C-alpha cells in the first residue's frame, strides 16, 4: 500500500489567485519561515496595554490563535512571487488510473505551459499565435473559464507587443479575424453553444477585438533612421539569397515592395517554383496547373492556388516537445524530469495542430 502521510485528509497545496489565474505555491519560503520563527517568539510574550495602563496577559490559547492569524495574514499580504510552483510541463493522460484521477484537458495544458512568457521569446511568438488561431477556429468552447480568461489575457499582451514592436502585424490580423468570426457565430447561437460566463462578457470581448482590429489597421510603421549599411546597399546575389530563404509567399511579396530591385527579384519564376516544391508534393501540381500567357507555368499563381487546397509546411524557431517515454508535454529549453536512459531519442516536436489533437478524446 502506498504511503499517504500522517493524515490522508490533508488539505493539500496552497493556492494563490494571480492575474493569470490560480497558482499553486510552496507552503513556505525561507523569508516566510524566518518571519514565522519571529512570530513564534513574540506569541509567547504578548502584552496588551489599555488606556488605564492595566496590563492584561493573554492566555497560552489566545497567544497561539493570535500567532496563527498573524502568519496567515502575513502569507496573504507578503507572499513572494518566487514561491509560485510553476512547472512548464504537463503530463498528458487520457484515462483515469490509481495514481491520477480524471484526464488532462486542453484548458489545463494551456494554463500550465506558460504561453504568457513564451510570447516574449521571438522564437516561440509565431508558434503561440498559430496555436491561438487554431483554438479560435474550433476549440474555444473546449477551454475552461480560467483558461478562456488566460487566453484573452495572452491575446491582449500579443496585441500590445505588436503595437509597440510592430512585429508581424499580418499574423495577428488573421488571428483576430478568425476569432471575431467565431465569436459572432457563438454569440448569435448562444443557446446552442457552450460559452462559459455571462453573455455580456463575451459581447464586451468581441467589442475589444473589434477595437484591436481598428488599432492594427491604423498602425503606422516607424521609419528607422540608419546612416549605416541598409538592405538596398547589398549586392543583388545577396538579396536573391535572402528571398530564397523565405518560406511564406506573402513575405516575399511584401519585401518586393521595398525597392524596384527587390520587386524584380521577387517575380522570379524559379523562386516561386522552389517555394511550391518545398510546400507541396509533385502530384498536387498536376491538378492545378496554371499556364501563363507565354505558355509557361505561372508558379506564383500556382502557389496561392495550392495554398487554398493543401496545408503548407510550418516553420518555427522553437516548438513544444512531447516525450513518448514519460508522456510529458514541455518546452525543450525548460526540459522535464525524464526517466529514460537516452531522453533525446524519445522527443517528438509538436506542431500547433498536433497540440490540439493531443487533447481530443
Amino acid at each position: 500500500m502506498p504511503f499517504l502521510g500522517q493524515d490522508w485528509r490533508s488539505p493539500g497545496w496552497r493556492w494563490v489567485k494571480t492575474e493569470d489565474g490560480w497558482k499553486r505555491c510552496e507552503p513556505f519560503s525561507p523569508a516566510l519561515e524566518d518571519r514565522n520563527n519571529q512570530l513564534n517568539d513574540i506569541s509567547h510574550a504578548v502584552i496588551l496595554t489599555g488606556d488605564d495602563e492595566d496590563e492584561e496577559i493573554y492566555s497560552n490559547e489566545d497567544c497561539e490563535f493570535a500567532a496563527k492569524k498573524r502568519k496567515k495574514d502575513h502569507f496573504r499580504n507578503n507572499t513572494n512571487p518566487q514561491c509560485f510552483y510553476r512547472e512548464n510541463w504537463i503530463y498528458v493522460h487520457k484515462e483515469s488510473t490509481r495514481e491520477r484521477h480524471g484526464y488532462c484537458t486542453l484548458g489545463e495544458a494551456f494554463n500550465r505551459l506558460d504561453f504568457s512568457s513564451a510570447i516574449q521569446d521571438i522564437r516561440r511568438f509565431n508558434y503561440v499565435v498559430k496555436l491561438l488561431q487554431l483554438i479560435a477556429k474550433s476549440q474555444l468552447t473546449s477551454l475552461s473559464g480560467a483558461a478562456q480568461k488566460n487566453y484573452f489575457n495572452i491575446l491582449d499582451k500579443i496585441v500590445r507587443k505588436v503595437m509597440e514592436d510592430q512585429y508581424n502585424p499580418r499574423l495577428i490580423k488573421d488571428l483576430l479575424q478568425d476569432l471575431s468570426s467565431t465569436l459572432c457565430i457563438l454569440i448569435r447561437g448562444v443557446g446552442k453553444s457552450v460559452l462559459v460566463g455571462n453573455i455580456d462578457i463575451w459581447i464586451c470581448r468581441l467589442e475589444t477585438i473589434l477595437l484591436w482590429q481598428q488599432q492594427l489597421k491604423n498602425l503606422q510603421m516607424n521609419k528607422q533612421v540608419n546612416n549605416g549599411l541598409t538592405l538596398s546597399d547589398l549586392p543583388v546575389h545577396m538579396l536573391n539569397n535572402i528571398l530564397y530563404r523565405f518560406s511564406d509567399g506573402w513575405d516575399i511579396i511584401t519585401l518586393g515592395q521595398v525597392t524596384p530591385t527587390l520587386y524584380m527579384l521577387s517575380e522570379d519564376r524559379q523562386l516561386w517554383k522552389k517555394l511550391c516544391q518545398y510546400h507541396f508534393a509533385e502530384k498536387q501540381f498536376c491538378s492545378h496547373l496554371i499556364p501563363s500567357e507565354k505558355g509557361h507555368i505561372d508558379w506564383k499563381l500556382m502557389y496561392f492556388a495550392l495554398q487554398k487546397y493543401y496545408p503548407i509546411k510550418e516553420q518555427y524557431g522553437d516548438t513544444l516537445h512531447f516525450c513518448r517515454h514519460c508522456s510529458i508535454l514541455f518546452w525543450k529549453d525548460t526540459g522535464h524530469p525524464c526517466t529514460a536512459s537516452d531522453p533525446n531519442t524519445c522527443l517528438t516536436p509538436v506542431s500547433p495542430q498536433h497540440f490540439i489533437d493531443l487533447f481530443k478524446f
Side-chain angles (χ1 to χ4, degrees), residues 338-353:
C338 188
T339 58
S341 56
D342 189 3
N344 292 330
T345 60
C346 306
L347 303 185
T348 302
V350 178
S351 66
Q353 184 59 55

Side-chain angles (χ1 to χ4, degrees), residues 3 12 17 31 40 57 75 91 129 161 179 186 188 211 214 223 236 273 300-301 309 313 318 331 337 341:
F3 177 73
K17 189 174 183 180
N40 286 332
I57 303 179
F75 183 82
Y91 178 79
V129 172
K161 178 178 177 60
L179 183 58
L186 292 177
R188 290 172 184 171
L211 177 61
Q214 187 63 36
K223 186 176 181 180
V236 175
K273 181 180 179 180
K300 181 178 178 181
L301 291 179
Y309 300 99
K313 291 183 179 179
D318 190 16
W331 292 105
S341 56

